[in-house]
């Protein structure tokens, strides 16, 4: 079985993104699961094309996209992607869409098809703070999560998909920002993948 795991480049004026740092440190294999990784730009215009190319290249059974959410104190396993682009800050191309759909005429929402509740239970059993999240926001992470599930629903390659938001790394973090060690984030992604592969 093969998993594609993606992380985002730094955004919002920061110089690191915990998701990309963690994804880069994943091993190429976890048990029987082959792990392929890709970097997505924090760009509404460009991220989905990069994601689709990575999926068509790797043809994975599992796709887990990972993003950073510095206001989150735990690993947040996202349950739902909404058809909305509504940016509080500009993306890495300077785009700041307001009240726009990800896919005009697309369904209002998609649910993750990776095992959300089982992943949270396994992360907590490993003593990592983890939560089921009911919203991936309306910035580029939600855009990518929605685009991922829309691609699965409408494209030719079948897979199970999901999204994980991770806290920031301590390095470079401002005030009011929650942090987690890079080791714990890497460990958490690995646990999520093991649970997904077994389900
Ligand atoms: N987090 C942003 C986009 C890229 C990232 O890592 C988000 O939560 O939308």
């Amino acid at each position: 079985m093969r998993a594609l795991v993606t992380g985002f480049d730094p955004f919002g004026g920061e110089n690191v993104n915990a998701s990309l740092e963690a994804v880069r440190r994943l091993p190429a294999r976890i048990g029987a699961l082959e792990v392929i990784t890709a970097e997505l730009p924090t760009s509404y215009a460009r991220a989905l094309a990069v994601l689709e190319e990575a999926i068509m290249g790797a043809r994975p059974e599992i796709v887990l996209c990972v993003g950073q959410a510095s206001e989150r104190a735990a690993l947040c396993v996202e349950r739902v992607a909404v058809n909305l682009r509504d940016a509080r800050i500009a993306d890495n191309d300077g785009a700041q869409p307001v009240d726009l759909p990800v896919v005009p005429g697309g369904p209002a929402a998609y649910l993750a098809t990776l095992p959300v509740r089982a992943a949270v239970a396994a992360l907590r059993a490993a003593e990592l703070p983890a939560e089921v999240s009911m919203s991936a926001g309306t910035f580029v992470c939600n855009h990518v999560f929605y685009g991922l599930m829309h691609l699965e629903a409408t494209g030719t390659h079948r897979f199970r998909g999901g999204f994980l938001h991770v806290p920031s790394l301590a390095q470079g973090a401002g005030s009011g920002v929650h942090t987690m060690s890079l080791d714990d984030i890497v460990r958490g992604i690995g646990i999520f993948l093991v649970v997904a592969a077994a389900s």
Side-chain angles (χ1 to χ4, degrees), residues 73-126:
L75 297 168
C76 288
V77 180
E78 299 296 346
R79 168 163 270 180
V80 52
V82 295
N83 193 10
L84 182 63
R85 293 185 287 154
D86 197 57
R88 187 178 41 82
I89 58 170
D91 74 4
N92 285 352
D93 297 332
Q96 197 168 352
V98 173
D99 288 349
L100 291 176
V102 179
V103 177
Y110 284 106
L111 298 178
T113 48
L114 292 180
V116 170
R117 208 167 279 289
V120 169
L123 291 165
R124 288 184 176 165

Side-chain angles (χ1 to χ4, degrees), residues 8 11 17 19 42 67-69 136 139-142 165:
F8 285 96
F11 66 100
N17 186 318
S19 69
T42 302
Q68 173 184 304
F139 193 47
V140 181
C141 286
N142 172 75
H165 261 126

Side-chain angles (χ1 to χ4, degrees), residues 1-5 26-35 62-64 77 114-123 125-126 128 160 164 185-199:
M1 199 182 284
R2 190 176 302 136
L4 171 69
V5 189
L26 289 173
R29 190 166 273 285
I30 301 177
L33 185 68
E34 186 188 347
V35 179
I62 292 169
V63 182
L64 176 61
V77 180
L114 292 180
V116 170
R117 208 167 279 289
V120 169
L123 291 165
L128 292 170
R160 289 179 297 143
L164 178 71
I185 296 173
V186 173
R187 194 156 64 89
I189 296 170
I191 289 167
F192 193 157
L193 292 174
V194 167
V195 171
S199 71

